[in-house]
Amino acid sequence: MNTQKVALNAIVFLYHKVLNLPLGELGFTLASKQRSLPIVLSPDEVARIIGQLEGRTRLIIELLYGRGLRISECLRLRIGDIDTTRCALTVRDGKGNKDRQTLLSPALRVPLEQAIAFAIDLQGRDNAEGIGRHYPAL
């Protein structure tokens, strides 16, 4: 709709200021925006999609779907933001630059603990090779 208004204003400017001609009646009406229903997957469809995934990708999608996280929020998660004991997740700098806490599905406890163990091991191996920053052990 904005594009239509800009184009119409350009034509009016051309006739009025450049050509010095009367524009007259255009009979122009702005196109109305068509309303469309949002496309929402059923729980069965989501389960089938997640069933096709594995590893880190599956864990990310399960967090996005199950906890309503945005992609950027999910990818910014740190080990300290995940509390598998209390099944809680702290989302930092979310919408409006606010922190919030959300519940963590007990089904994600083991995959998250495995991902955390892998990350700690990878950090240790990288540090041993002189790659990256050295962080204190938990």
Side-chain angles (χ1 to χ4, degrees):
M1 181 147 9
N2 243 1
T3 305
Q4 294 174 26
K5 289 179 182 177
V6 170
L8 182 59
N9 285 331
I11 292 170
V12 169
F13 179 84
L14 173 72
Y15 271 79
H16 187 262
K17 298 288 184 183
V18 178
L19 301 175
N20 292 321
L21 295 173
L23 184 56
E25 180 60 37
L26 293 178
F28 182 82
T29 56
L30 292 174
S32 60
K33 187 174 182 180
Q34 292 183 356
R35 294 201 57 175
S36 60
L37 293 173
I39 299 171
V40 180
L41 299 174
S42 71
D44 182 53
E45 291 170 322
V46 172
R48 289 192 349 243
I49 290 170
I50 290 175
Q52 298 295 313
L53 304 173
E54 57 187 38
R56 182 175 183 237
T57 304
R58 180 182 180 134
L59 184 56
I60 290 170
I61 298 300
E62 287 176 326
L63 284 169
L64 293 175
Y65 178 72
R67 298 290 43 114
L69 298 181
R70 293 169 181 82
I71 294 171
S72 60
E73 293 171 342
C74 187
L75 297 178
R76 275 195 316 254
L77 284 174
R78 300 175 296 189
I79 291 174
D81 297 335
I82 302 166
D83 185 349
T84 55
T85 307
R86 293 180 336 142
C87 286
L89 192 62
T90 302
V91 179
R92 302 196 185 278
D93 296 327
K95 190 172 182 181
N97 292 326
K98 294 181 181 178
D99 295 350
R100 72 177 190 277
Q101 285 223 281
T102 184
L103 297 174
L104 187 60
S105 170
L108 296 179
R109 176 186 251 159
V110 172
L112 276 171
E113 288 173 345
Q114 291 170 344
I116 290 169
F118 175 78
I120 291 171
D121 181 57
L122 179 62
Q123 180 72 44
R125 286 185 281 136
D126 284 350
N127 287 299
E129 294 180 23
I131 301 171
R133 295 184 176 187
H134 293 270
Y135 292 105
L138 296 177

